[in-house]
């Protein structure tokens, strides 16, 4: 069943070697999901910072005209 589960995966062979059970795979996926959530929050924070700077620039430009 594990071989079938990984067949269409781009990391299928690696996952078969590293994860001997579905529990191992789920645990690995949970850690990766937590990493992705953290990266997502960092990106949102950076986008907010950039948007804030753009808003200030737009305000400064409109004040000059």
């Amino acid at each position: 069943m594990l071989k079938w589960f990984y067949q269409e995966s781009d990391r299928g062979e690696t996952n078969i070697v590293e994860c001997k059970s579905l529990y191992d795979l789920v645990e690995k996926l949970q850690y990766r999901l937590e990493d992705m959530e953290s990266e997502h929050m960092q990106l949102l924070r950076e986008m907010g910072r950039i948007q804030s700077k753009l808003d200030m620039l737009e305000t400064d430009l409109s004040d000059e005209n």
Side-chain angles (χ1 to χ4, degrees):
M1 181 164 174
L2 284 176
K3 286 185 181 184
W4 167 82
F5 186 78
Y6 295 122
Q7 255 179 353
E8 300 300 322
S9 170
D10 59 339
R11 295 186 180 166
E13 293 298 319
T14 303
N15 285 332
I16 288 173
V17 171
E18 291 178 2
C19 300
K20 297 300 180 190
S21 70
L22 288 179
Y23 177 82
D24 291 340
L25 176 63
V26 169
E27 188 174 37
K28 183 177 177 180
L29 291 173
Q30 281 180 308
Y31 289 132
R32 182 61 189 130
L33 182 59
E34 289 172 5
D35 291 343
M36 291 174 72
E37 288 172 340
S38 175
E39 292 166 9
H40 179 251
M41 293 305 294
Q42 290 172 357
L43 288 171
L44 288 177
R45 190 171 31 249
E46 183 66 15
M47 285 174 49
R49 189 183 68 76
I50 291 169
Q51 185 63 51
S52 174
K53 284 186 175 185
L54 284 173
D55 292 343
M56 287 189 320
L57 285 173
E58 287 177 347
T59 302
D60 290 347
L61 288 174
S62 65
D63 288 346
E64 290 177 4
N65 293 329

